[in-house]
Amino acid sequence: MAHFIIFRHNLRKCTMQKTFTLLLFMTILFSCKKEVSKDITENILPISFNLPEGFELVDLYHPSVHDQGSWVALAQGPENIIYACDQRGKIYELQVPSDGSPIDAAQVAPIDLHIGEAHGLLWAHNSLYVAVNKAWDDKIPDGEENGSGVYRITDTNKDGKLDQVAMLLKLEGEGEHGPHSFVLSPNGQDIYFIAGNHTLIPEPLLNNSRLPTNWGEDNLFKPYLDARGHANNIKAPGGWISKFNSEGTQWELVSAGYRNPFDIAFNQDDELFTYDADMEWDIGMPWYRPTRICHVTSGSEYGWRTGSGKWPAYYPDNLPAVHNLEQGSPTAVLSTAKLDIPARYKNGLLAMDWSFGTVYFIDLKPKGSSYEANREEFLSGTPLPLTDMIAGNDGNLYFATGGRGLDSHLYRLRYIGNENKTALKVEDSNASTLRQRRKELEKYHSLQSEVAIPLAWMDLNHQDRFIRYAARVALEHQPIDQWQQKYFEEQDPIKLIEGAIALAHQGDKALEGSILEKLDPIKMELLSDAQKIALLRAYALLFIRMGEPDASHGTATTKKLQSYFPHANNAVNRELAQLLLYLKAEGITQELVGLLEKHTREKTVTEGIQMLSEETTLRSEQYGPLIRDVIAKMPPSEAIYYGLLLSHDEIGWTKPLREKYFSWFFDVLGAKGGMSFKAYMENVRQQAMTNVPEAEKSYFQELSGVYTPTSAIADLPQPIGPGRNYTGEDMGDIIWGDGMRDYQSSFADGERAYQAAMCTLCHRMRGEGGAAGPDLTQAHSKFGSYDLMFAIYSPNDDISDQYANTLFEMKDGEKIAGRIKSEDGEHITLMPNPFNESYTVQLAKSEISNRSLSPISPMPPGLLNRLNEKEIKDLFVYLRSGGDAKHELYTKKREVN
């Protein structure tokens, strides 16, 4: 066994915040039974910490050096026991010394039960509740395999050892977006549980839900799925939060619409909160949402939808965050109420970010029946992959680092300063009254009563958004025949708007025309911007849920909306724009192209997109460089919104408008976004191209920088096919799916697929082929499988300066890109078509306003769409072999992936 000693740091002399380096110098004593891995001890990095004033940090235990994995879940047990779980292994029981000294390895032992790989642990009701997160293995008999689910472990014979495992709820879903964590309710009876968006909501929750369960994607136009395939098959309502009793016999769905929140916590007002994740690949897109603190109220919906379908926070049928942070990977959330820390921290939350090694203090402030928050960094470190934290029975903060197999530690943070630690709770009587009013409405999220309808109707126009929302959800839970007529007798515009949303969700399609007749007379100029957006969302939901209106109603609504478009408020403008496009309003295409150009010129960033400080990005070598690149070349996200919208426009185009639109792709692709940004934009361009008449497609392809081989392919073998429009998800399934396992290709098939995909026109392989692109002979040694695949699927993602075209912007607004063939004092001869070097264009230097590297690759997208799946597999094996017929991929049967 190994024992190590680390230095403890007394920070009483800090003035504001102390930065120090905790060097894990270890005195290692080896027993005859086991040695600490030499690789682990040689690769441990010093950790630089920033701590709040007056706190002492102790590294209590280092599980990695004892081959105990990477800990991601903690639970405070009885007395001085702490439970911890390795993300890919066992649950451990730790005895924490009462004197605060580091934990000896002899005091750490695995639970002797067949259960582990938990993301969440909770000690309650003399039991350990466990959220197992792993795939079910159908080959293992029932009772011997513990896949994803909620379990309860008990000590049946009262000997102090946990000895029995019972599954309370089986779950479908696993991985980092799978089942997560627990928190005990303030009354100590019920348990709340949270799961990410890759976890299906099980039947017991669907049968007992505080949200109406007829949820949908609810997008007016079909959203774009993630270009790299992430979560493309995950539908509404995404991540969710439930409540259950101690025996696991009663379950209730409480809230949904999250991406991937990992943990939940109650504040001192007994209100529940979570910390939801962003989708970092979406950075720069108009639908990008930063990490955020959400108030988990009854029946709440937070609007996560896959791909570009995410709802803006301003939609009235979902709720806004209490506080938006920036980029990160949220893990634990903890109430500060039980910590023995200065009073100024007592009424808030601590929230952990794994990616950037930061614990934030979220200072909650009442705002109506909900909250707003200020935020400050409480603790940070580099590298510090924070996974979980708990309030110890001693009032100290215990937290773990690790995850994804990283080096793992258990720390204790203790306050040793002299500040007052007794919190003085100042009650906001108005906020308390409003919270109580909201909770009165929330009773009817699970109860039908004759009292509910008048109570809910009264608050449909309440100025507090959370109360309005609670009232509408309460109404939707009541029989529609008991309140439908009340709607058509109503005159209040706000109640008509909220009621229309409720009817769109629950009413019959036959009501659509009558509802429109109630909405159309509402004068938008008398509404606030938020109320205007609510009205526009009500229109959209009617069309989404009930279908396109009949001609007379459609004409009346179009005429009304056109009178307010364009609007000074960007959010109002976006909603007007999509409604008018849906309704095929006359002249809408020209208006949208104008807005596209305006926001590109002004580089408008959609409200709500927030970026980390440069200092914080330096804490992550993996994510930091991307964030800094995006900040330096931020995409014009507001213009991208209109670019996406126009890709759905089938009518109203003129040739000049299309020329402006397809030239625009040069502008937007010069920016830097998340990993899916450029592939998304190529998907948008391809969708827009489907609306171009066949006779004009070649012209607009070339205008947007994409050339198609013609005579150059005459001597090449044709694909066997049939191909199709492959998505990023399709590509991943082909390359890494079960069908690739043990796949045996032949060199002849691989070479044929390489030629049929036209790779040979621009790339050399073992000395043969074109030279317009990089040599692919050694590509397999420079790129991993994932990067190699996406370089083919999405060539715009990363373009080498050596092979990039040059983009010329002319003084008349025209844009043209290509390889420079020659240049003299007055002219530049350009080769725009990489497949036809004899085709050239001469540019007068006096007419050029700017030249730069083109953000559009000379390599056309969609080259694999002509191939069938077998041909793609053959091509991939060929690339991995470096075009070598004697490579082991061909000479012996083996698992390719």
Side-chain angles (χ1 to χ4, degrees):
M1 304 292 285
H3 175 71
F4 62 93
I5 302 169
I6 65 172
F7 295 102
R8 295 202 282 171
H9 296 255
N10 189 319
L11 305 181
R12 273 180 277 205
K13 295 182 180 179
C14 294
T15 55
M16 285 299 289
Q17 192 174 53
K18 179 72 174 181
T19 302
F20 69 95
T21 300
L22 180 63
L23 294 173
L24 302 181
F25 294 124
M26 297 182 293
T27 302
I28 304 176
L29 306 175
F30 297 101
S31 73
C32 60
K33 292 185 178 180
K34 187 174 183 180
E35 291 187 357
V36 177
S37 166
K38 182 179 179 182
D39 290 339
I40 290 175
T41 59
E42 286 184 350
N43 291 310
I44 291 172
L45 298 174
I47 305 172
S48 177
F49 282 91
N50 293 298
L51 297 183
E53 180 184 359
F55 283 80
E56 173 192 75
L57 183 68
V58 176
D59 189 341
L60 287 179
Y61 192 66
H62 194 175
S64 298
V65 301
H66 301 292
D67 293 331
Q68 292 169 339
S70 194
W71 290 1
V72 297
L74 300 174
Q76 175 65 64
E79 299 178 350
N80 64 338
I81 293 175
I82 288 179
Y83 295 99
C85 193
D86 170 22
Q87 184 177 6
R88 298 165 185 164
K90 299 176 180 179
I91 299 173
Y92 295 89
E93 182 178 297
L94 297 70
Q95 298 282 343
V96 180
S98 57
D99 62 2
S101 60
I103 300 169
D104 190 276
Q107 301 300 311
V108 181
I111 292 176
D112 189 21
L113 291 168
H114 186 70
I115 190 168
E117 298 187 44
H119 276 201
L121 301 172
L122 174 71
W123 181 264
H125 306 293
N126 291 316
S127 310
L128 184 65
Y129 292 86
V130 181
V132 173
N133 186 321
K134 69 173 182 177
W136 284 89
D137 189 342
D138 294 335
K139 298 176 182 178
I140 298 178
D142 288 345
E144 297 181 23
E145 168 69 2
N146 294 316
S148 286
V150 175
Y151 296 81
R152 185 183 188 185
I153 309 179
T154 53
D155 174 10
T156 59
N157 58 12
K158 311 300 181 185
D159 66 350
K161 294 184 178 180
L162 297 172
D163 55 28
Q164 185 178 79
V165 177
M167 184 175 70
L168 304 184
L169 184 69
K170 184 175 182 177
L171 295 171
E172 293 184 49
E174 67 278 335
E176 294 187 359
H177 290 237
H180 290 320
S181 305
F182 307 98
V183 69
L184 188 64
S185 64
N187 65 12
Q189 297 301 310
D190 295 322
I191 297 170
Y192 285 77
F193 169 68
I194 191 166
N197 61 351
H198 285 208
T199 313
L200 296 181
I201 299 176
E203 197 68 26
L205 277 68
L206 293 175
N207 294 332
N208 190 19
S209 174
R210 289 182 162 265
L211 293 82
T213 55
N214 63 336
W215 43 63
E217 301 304 298
D218 286 340
N219 288 282
L220 196 56
F221 290 96
K222 184 179 179 181
Y224 283 91
L225 299 179
D226 179 68
R228 289 174 174 257
H230 181 77
N232 284 354
N233 293 324
I234 307 299
K235 302 303 180 184
W240 48 272
I241 297 169
S242 64
K243 181 176 75 171
F244 64 98
N245 64 353
S246 61
E247 293 81 17
T249 56
Q250 298 174 8
W251 290 84
E252 184 178 44
L253 182 63
V254 174
S255 178
Y258 304 97
R259 181 174 184 262
N260 190 34
F262 198 90
D263 203 359
I264 39 181
F266 286 94
N267 73 346
Q268 284 197 321
D269 296 323
D270 297 344
E271 298 281 347
L272 189 61
F273 295 85
T274 191
Y275 180 21
D276 198 11
D278 66 338
M279 172 48 162
E280 66 273 14
W281 293 0
D282 287 349
I283 295 173
M285 303 307 259
W287 60 85
Y288 171 73
R289 307 193 305 184
T291 65
R292 53 195 193 149
I293 303 294
C294 297
H295 183 189
V296 184
T297 57
S298 169
S300 51
E301 155 75 81
Y302 275 91
W304 178 88
R305 297 296 185 268
T306 193
S308 67
K310 297 170 186 67
W311 299 355
Y314 56 66
Y315 275 3
D317 44 331
N318 75 162
L319 289 169
V322 165
H323 182 73
N324 286 321
L325 290 90
E326 293 91 16
Q327 295 70 49
S329 298
T331 50
V333 183
L334 181 70
S335 170
T336 55
K338 293 183 179 180
L339 293 173
D340 190 23
I341 57 177
R344 58 193 169 96
Y345 292 120
K346 285 282 192 175
N347 294 322
L349 306 170
L350 295 179
M352 277 183 161
D353 170 24
W354 182 86
S355 292
F356 295 97
T358 306
V359 179
Y360 295 103
F361 171 61
I362 309 298
D363 189 10
L364 296 168
K365 307 289 186 184
K367 180 183 179 183
S369 71
S370 185
Y371 298 82
E372 58 187 356
N374 295 318
R375 173 248 315 214
E376 65 181 76
E377 285 193 10
F378 180 77
L379 177 153
S380 64
T382 308
L384 195 68
L386 297 158
T387 56
D388 201 8
M389 58 183 162
I390 55 173
N393 287 337
D394 56 8
N396 296 320
L397 178 69
Y398 292 82
F399 67 92
T401 61
R404 297 184 181 176
L406 295 179
D407 187 46
S408 188
H409 291 261
L410 176 67
Y411 296 97
R412 187 198 68 204
L413 187 70
R414 181 167 71 100
Y415 183 65
I416 56 174
N418 299 316
E419 278 192 53
N420 175 37
K421 294 187 284 186
T422 302
L424 296 176
K425 186 174 180 181
V426 180
E427 185 64 56
D428 184 327
S429 59
N430 182 58
S432 179
T433 299
L434 290 172
R435 285 197 300 272
Q436 187 58 40
R437 187 164 183 170
R438 170 172 53 78
K439 290 179 179 181
E440 283 295 319
L441 291 162
E442 290 170 351
K443 290 178 183 177
Y444 303 104
H445 293 177
S446 58
L447 175 67
Q448 289 189 351
S449 168
E450 61 182 15
V451 177
I453 295 173
L455 187 67
W457 204 269
M458 178 175 63
D459 282 334
L460 278 181
N461 65 350
H462 199 283
Q463 63 180 2
D464 183 281
R465 180 168 173 179
F466 280 72
I467 290 176
R468 261 194 332 272
Y469 180 93
R472 180 182 54 76
V473 172
L475 191 66
E476 289 191 39
H477 277 287
Q478 309 309 307
I480 190 171
D481 59 0
Q482 294 181 16
W483 56 269
Q484 177 177 303
Q485 187 57 36
K486 194 173 182 66
Y487 175 81
F488 292 108
E489 295 170 356
E490 184 59 63
Q491 298 300 317
D492 181 271
I494 309 307
K495 290 184 179 182
L496 287 172
I497 293 169
E498 294 291 335
I501 293 172
L503 283 173
H505 288 156
Q506 306 301 331
D508 188 89
K509 174 177 169 53
L511 296 173
E512 183 177 34
S514 298
I515 300 171
L516 289 173
E517 290 171 10
K518 296 294 289 185
L519 295 180
D520 283 347
I522 297 175
K523 295 181 178 180
M524 285 183 62
E525 62 269 24
L526 301 180
L527 304 177
S528 68
D529 286 340
Q531 291 166 344
K532 291 183 180 75
I533 289 169
L535 172 61
L536 297 173
R537 178 59 171 168
Y539 279 120
L541 285 169
L542 286 173
F543 302 150
I544 293 165
R545 295 287 184 117
M546 297 182 174
E548 191 173 344
D550 60 51
S552 62
H553 287 105
T555 300
T557 300
T558 301
K559 182 178 180 181
K560 172 193 175 169
L561 298 181
Q562 278 187 305
S563 67
Y564 297 101
F565 182 75
H567 195 275
N569 180 282
N570 284 340
V572 174
N573 226 24
R574 287 194 294 273
E575 300 310 310
L576 280 167
Q578 69 161 342
L579 282 166
L580 289 170
L581 181 61
Y582 176 85
L583 293 167
K584 300 179 176 62
E586 186 177 352
I588 187 60
T589 304
Q590 183 172 349
E591 294 273 15
L592 295 182
V593 171
L595 288 167
L596 176 85
E597 293 183 310
K598 172 183 183 293
H599 291 296
T600 302
R601 185 173 58 252
E602 296 174 0
K603 299 181 179 180
T604 313
V605 175
T606 303
E607 184 180 356
I609 295 180
Q610 298 166 255
M611 304 300 292
L612 284 168
S613 67
E614 182 175 359
E615 178 188 0
T616 303
T617 66
L618 295 173
R619 296 175 194 159
S620 173
E621 293 182 1
Q622 180 177 1
Y623 299 107
L626 168 65
I627 305 301
R628 293 192 293 275
D629 285 349
V630 173
I631 292 171
K633 301 182 74 176
M634 181 73 75
S637 52
E638 197 73 10
I640 291 172
Y641 176 86
Y642 292 102
L644 265 68
L645 205 53
L646 282 161
S647 74
H648 298 291
D649 190 355
E650 299 176 359
I651 60 176
W653 290 98
T654 62
K655 186 174 182 180
L657 288 176
R658 275 208 169 101
E659 287 174 337
K660 290 179 180 180
Y661 177 70
F662 282 105
S663 295
W664 169 78
F665 285 91
F666 283 108
D667 295 318
V668 70
L669 287 172
K672 177 70 176 180
M675 285 180 63
S676 292
F677 168 63
K678 292 194 174 182
Y680 259 127
M681 295 313 304
E682 174 56 27
N683 288 348
V684 171
R685 192 193 69 83
Q686 289 190 28
Q687 167 60 33
M689 196 63 66
T690 65
N691 297 322
V692 177
E694 200 63 36
E696 300 177 12
K697 282 187 177 178
S698 179
Y699 172 74
F700 286 108
Q701 288 274 25
E702 295 180 6
L703 189 69
S704 55
V706 178
Y707 286 80
T708 303
T710 51
S711 59
I713 64 174
D715 297 328
L716 296 178
Q718 292 301 301
I720 297 170
R724 59 190 173 94
N725 291 327
Y726 295 104
T727 66
E729 184 177 23
D730 295 333
M731 293 298 300
D733 290 343
I734 294 168
I735 300 304
W736 291 293
D738 292 339
M740 194 68 170
R741 193 172 302 278
D742 298 324
Y743 179 73
Q744 188 68 36
S745 181
S746 70
F747 177 78
D749 286 345
E751 186 175 46
R752 188 187 191 287
Y754 179 80
Q755 293 174 346
M758 300 181 289
C759 305
T760 190
L761 294 178
C762 298
H763 300 279
R764 288 187 177 275
M765 179 68 84
R766 306 186 79 79
E768 296 184 4
D775 191 308
L776 298 181
T777 309
Q778 297 299 321
H780 65 284
S781 65
K782 300 175 183 178
F783 301 99
S785 299
Y786 185 87
D787 292 330
L788 185 60
M789 184 191 79
F790 270 98
I792 301 169
Y793 173 73
S794 182
N796 292 331
D797 277 9
D798 191 11
I799 307 170
S800 168
D801 292 358
Q802 183 178 353
Y803 300 102
N805 280 336
T806 301
L807 173 64
F808 293 90
E809 298 179 52
M810 312 305 290
K811 291 180 180 179
D812 65 359
E814 181 185 359
K815 298 182 181 71
I816 186 169
R819 294 171 63 198
I820 297 175
K821 183 175 184 179
S822 63
E823 181 174 358
D824 58 30
E826 296 183 357
H827 296 93
I828 294 173
T829 301
L830 198 67
M831 298 182 294
N833 189 342
F835 305 106
N836 183 4
E837 294 186 357
S838 64
Y839 170 60
T840 60
V841 175
Q842 191 172 69
L843 306 178
K845 284 188 172 181
S846 60
E847 297 301 315
I848 297 172
S849 63
N850 187 51
R851 76 160 77 180
S852 60
L853 292 179
S854 174
I856 296 179
S857 173
M859 177 176 167
L863 289 177
L864 299 183
N865 291 345
R866 302 166 71 236
L867 277 57
N868 62 36
E869 291 190 12
K870 180 184 181 302
E871 290 177 291
I872 292 175
K873 292 175 185 177
D874 290 332
L875 171 62
F876 190 73
V877 174
Y878 183 78
L879 293 172
R880 297 295 293 164
S881 76
D884 181 3
K886 297 180 180 179
H887 195 280
E888 64 175 6
L889 290 172
Y890 296 122
T891 59
K892 67 178 182 179
K893 189 171 182 177
R894 65 190 296 272
E895 185 177 293
V896 175
N897 62 329

